[in-house]
Amino acid sequence: MTPPTRAELREHLVRTAIAGDVATSRENNLDHYRSLALRDPHYMFGLSFEGEWSFRQILELMSEKAGVVADPAHREGQDVIDPDRTIDAAEEMADRIAKVLRRGAPRVAVATGHPTGLLTVHLALARFAAANGAVLVTPAEGWTYMGGGLGRRRRIRYLDGVAMVEDRGSFVHTHDPHPMRAMLAEERPDFVIADHGWAGAAGEAGVETVGFADSNDPALFVGEAEGKIAVTVPLDDNVPPRLYGPLTAYLLDRAARSL
């Protein structure tokens, strides 16, 4: 795919609701911000925080980093992600990836909790990293744990170098930090590209980490504010996979030009 210009990408993000008026509701955003303020483990993605991070502070941070409506009185209906913040963060992510690749043969781990959405982006980033000298590490393949809230055993599986969680033969959505912790216990990479608990656990362990997060998943943004996550790209993380193509092309082109 020919990389879009910034203006073309911005138009695409808004048109496809990857940013702009996204599907995630205001009610859902605020509920998750309250849950994180209460330190609900499901929303912390394996991170711990030094700051207080009250509901109001989290809302203010999400307005700054993702562009959600800052007014706490706005409690219902539509919320937004600022497409310019998405593009700015994607550019910063690309520059970080290029900087790591310039070191020569870095060990890179790639993982996603979104096999029906962001997987396509992670696969492209994994291929790009490998083509530019990175060693894609795949530790703890087959490691199992009880997860998903259904009392079922889940395991780590890899697809073309991207780690995911498998449950009864299917890759599944997960927020769990446990799989990344298992990976780090077996082999510690130099750099991680991920989302959800995969990114949170890596950042908590002190590994340089970049990630993607929706406006209802504030943990990685708080982790970034505290210096545990290098870059968090705000976007709707579960639109049809093909729609991420222009964003992926833009990100990879920026990284390639930065090498």
Side-chain angles (χ1 to χ4, degrees):
M1 177 180 292
T2 301
T5 65
R6 182 181 176 109
E8 290 169 341
L9 177 59
R10 189 184 192 285
E11 187 278 331
H12 173 79
L13 294 175
V14 173
R15 178 169 49 82
T16 58
I18 294 172
D21 292 338
V22 293
T24 308
S25 71
R26 181 66 169 186
E27 294 92 327
N28 189 252
N29 279 344
L30 298 184
D31 178 67
H32 287 200
Y33 301 169
R34 293 188 186 95
S35 295
L36 185 63
L38 293 171
R39 302 300 193 267
D40 184 328
H42 181 72
Y43 298 95
M44 292 186 71
F45 293 177
L47 288 158
S48 64
F49 306 132
E50 296 180 4
E52 175 187 351
W53 294 109
S54 65
F55 166 77
R56 183 64 66 91
Q57 289 172 321
I58 292 169
L59 176 58
E60 290 173 353
L61 178 70
M62 293 305 294
S63 176
E64 174 191 347
K65 301 298 292 186
V68 303
V69 176
D71 184 1
H74 177 53
R75 299 189 180 100
E76 299 178 344
Q78 183 68 53
D79 212 338
V80 297
I81 293 175
D82 182 349
D84 288 306
R85 286 174 170 84
T86 301
I87 298 171
D88 288 345
E91 290 177 348
E92 188 177 353
M93 175 185 281
D95 293 344
R96 286 271 186 170
I97 292 170
K99 182 178 179 180
V100 168
L101 293 175
R102 290 197 300 268
R103 297 175 192 168
R107 292 170 301 133
V108 175
V110 186
T112 183
H114 267 288
T116 60
L118 289 176
L119 172 58
T120 183
V121 184
H122 287 89
L123 287 169
L125 289 171
R127 288 192 296 268
F128 178 84
N132 286 279
V135 177
L136 292 181
V137 298
T138 56
E141 182 164 22
W143 178 85
T144 65
Y145 72 109
M146 301 301 292
L150 299 174
R152 296 209 295 256
R153 186 160 293 279
R154 293 181 160 189
R155 72 186 67 243
I156 296 174
R157 290 290 190 224
Y158 286 87
L159 176 64
D160 293 343
V162 178
M164 288 175 284
V165 166
E166 177 262 334
D167 185 337
R168 297 188 180 184
S170 298
F171 291 124
V172 294
H173 176 274
T174 182
H175 287 188
D176 292 342
H178 314 301
M180 178 55 76
R181 290 172 181 158
M183 290 168 60
L184 296 174
E186 185 171 304
E187 183 175 3
R188 186 181 177 89
D190 302 308
F191 190 72
V192 167
I193 304 169
D195 53 40
H196 285 179
W198 300 97
E204 180 69 18
V207 178
E208 184 177 2
T209 301
V210 297
F212 302 92
D214 207 328
S215 58
N216 65 349
D217 288 334
L220 296 189
F221 296 97
V222 175
E224 182 180 357
E226 292 204 347
K228 292 183 176 181
I229 304 295
V231 182
T232 304
V233 178
L235 80 179
D236 187 313
D237 57 15
N238 200 29
V239 303
R242 63 181 176 80
L243 299 181
Y244 294 111
L247 175 62
T248 305
Y250 186 90
L251 198 162
L252 294 181
D253 178 67
R254 170 83 176 212
R257 289 187 288 108
S258 299
L259 286 174

